[in-house]
C-alpha cells in the first residue's frame, strides 16, 4: 500500500547498531524489491539516511535479479543512492555493504573494491556482512583465483578479536568449495567424499567464536551457527553439535545444508543424531 512509516520507525530505533541495521535493511529490501514503498519513502523524505539506505538495498537487489547486462542501469542508480546516503550519514556502514555486493555482481574492479573496503574498516572494522561480501567476491565463480578466498578468510579469522563470528568465514569457503566440486562432477564426487572430516577450521571456529561468543546473538547468528552445526555433523562430531543445535532452535537455514542434499531432511536427521545416545546413533 506504499506505507513506509513502519520501516522508518524500525530503522530509527535501530540507530547505529550496524549489525542489526544491515540485517533489517536486507529483510525490508526483499519485500521492497517487489513493491514501491521504498521508492515512495525516498521521494517523501529525500534527506533521510534510512530511506536512502533502504532504497539503495532495493535497487541493488533489483539489479541482481535483472542480471549483469539488464541490471546495469539499476546498479548505477543503486551506487549513486549509496553515495547520497553516505553524504547524509557519513558514518553509516550499510551503503558500503551494498556497494561491495554491487562490485561482486556488476563491476569487478579491484581498485574500487579496495577503496570501499578501506571505508568499511574505518567505520566498523569487523562488520560481519562486509566480510561475507568480500569473501564471496573472492570465490572462483565470481572474481577470485583458486585458493584466494580461503587464504583471505583464514587471515581475517586469525586476526579478528576472539568472540566474533568472523571466525566462521573459513567454513563458508569450505562449503562453497564442496558445492563447486559437486556442480562440476556430480557423478564421482558426492556425500561420501567431503571436506569436513579432519577439518581444522572447525576447531578454530569453536575456539575463536563459539566458546567466547557474546550473550546476545548477532543478527545473522542462525546462519553462522548452521555452518558450524553442519560442519560438526558431517565431521561425525555429533555430541559436540548438540550444543549448537540447542542454540539454533528451529531456525534452520538452507545454506549450507542444501549443498549436501535436501536441507530440511539433513538438518532434522543430524539434529536427531546429535540428541541421541552414541549407541543408538551408531545403530
Amino acid at each position: 500500500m506504499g506505507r513506509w512509516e513502519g520501516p522508518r520507525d524500525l530503522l530509527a530505533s535501530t540507530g547505529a547498531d550496524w549489525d542489526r541495521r544491515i540485517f533489517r535493511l536486507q529483510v525490508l529490501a526483499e519485500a521492497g524489491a517487489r513493491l514501491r514503498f521504498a521508492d515512495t519513502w525516498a521521494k517523501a523524505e529525500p534527506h533521510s539516511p534510512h530511506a536512502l539506505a533502504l532504497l539503495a538495498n532495493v535497487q541493488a537487489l533489483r539489479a541482481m535479479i535483472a542480471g549483469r547486462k539488464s541490471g546495469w542501469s539499476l546498479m548505477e542508480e543503486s551506487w549513486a543512492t549509496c553515495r547520497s546516503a553516505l553524504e547524509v550519514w557519513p558514518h553509516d556502514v550499510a551503503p558500503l555493504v551494498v556497494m561491495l555486493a554491487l562490485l561482486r555482481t556488476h563491476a569487478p574492479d579491484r581498485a574500487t573494491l579496495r577503496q570501499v573496503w578501506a571505508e568499511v574498516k574505518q567505520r566498523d572494522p569487523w562488520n560481519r556482512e562486509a566480510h561475507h561480501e568480500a569473501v564471496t567476491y573472492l570465490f572462483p565463480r565470481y572474481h577470485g583465483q583458486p585458493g584466494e578466498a580461503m587464504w583471505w578468510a583464514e587471515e581475517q579469522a586469525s586476526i579478528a578479536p576472539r568472540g566474533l563470528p568472523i571466525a566462521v568465514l573459513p567454513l563458508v569457503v569450505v562449503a562453497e568449495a564442496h558445492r563447486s566440486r559437486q556442480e562440476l562432477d556430480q557423478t564421482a564426487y558426492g556425500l561420501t567424499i567431503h571436506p569436513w572430516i579432519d577439518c581444522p577450521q572447525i576447531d578454530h571456529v569453536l575456539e575463536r567464536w563459539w566458546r567466547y561468543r557474546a550473550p546476545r546473538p548477532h543478527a545473522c547468528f542462525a546462519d553462522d551457527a548452521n555452518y558450524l552445526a553442519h560442519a560438526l555433523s558431517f565431521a561425525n562430531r555429533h555430541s559436540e553439535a548438540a550444543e549448537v543445535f540447542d542454540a539454533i532452535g528451529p531456525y534452520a537455514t538452507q545454506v549450507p545444508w542444501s549443498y549436501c542434499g535436501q536441507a530440511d531432511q539433513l538438518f532434522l536427521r543430524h539434529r536427531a543424531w546429535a540428541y541421541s545416545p552414541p549407541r543408538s546413533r551408531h545403530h
Side-chain angles (χ1 to χ4, degrees), residues 36-187:
R36 305 300 300 179
F37 69 88
D39 308 76
T40 304
W41 181 16
K43 288 180 181 178
E45 296 187 351
H47 300 294
S48 165
H50 310 307
L52 291 171
L54 178 58
L55 182 61
N57 275 269
V58 166
Q59 290 170 332
L61 191 53
R62 289 170 181 165
M64 294 173 194
I65 293 170
R68 187 169 182 179
K69 292 183 179 179
S70 302
W72 183 258
S73 61
L74 289 168
M75 186 278 291
E76 291 182 319
E77 288 180 5
S78 179
W79 192 275
T81 305
C82 287
R83 282 301 177 195
S84 298
L86 289 170
E87 289 176 5
V88 176
W89 193 4
H91 298 294
D92 195 3
V93 183
L96 297 170
V97 174
V98 175
M99 295 168 88
L100 290 175
L102 291 171
L103 286 168
R104 170 170 55 85
T105 56
H106 281 83
D109 178 17
R110 291 262 177 146
T112 307
L113 176 71
R114 287 191 290 270
Q115 293 172 6
V116 175
W117 183 251
E119 292 191 51
V120 171
K121 297 294 279 186
Q122 289 174 3
R123 292 164 173 80
D124 189 15
W126 301 110
N127 184 272
R128 189 253 184 208
E129 285 303 298
H131 279 75
H132 276 258
E133 286 294 345
V135 81
T136 305
Y137 178 101
L138 296 174
F139 286 168
R141 64 177 163 131
Y142 287 106
H143 315 295
Q145 299 298 318
E148 188 177 13
M150 180 57 81
W151 178 86
W152 188 84
E154 290 189 331
E155 180 189 48
Q156 296 300 310
S158 66
I159 63 178
R162 183 173 285 179
L164 296 183
I166 303 300
V168 181
L169 284 174
L171 290 185
V172 175
V173 180
V174 169
E176 166 62 18
H178 177 78
R179 185 208 63 78
S180 179
R181 286 190 63 182
Q182 275 200 313
E183 189 177 72
L184 292 173
D185 192 356
Q186 297 180 358
T187 57

Side-chain angles (χ1 to χ4, degrees), residues 23 128 168 218-228 251 253 255-256:
F23 178 83
R128 189 253 184 208
V168 181
H218 61 283
C220 288
F221 173 83
D223 298 82
D224 293 329
N226 271 269
Y227 268 104
L228 179 56
Y251 301 109
T253 57
V255 175

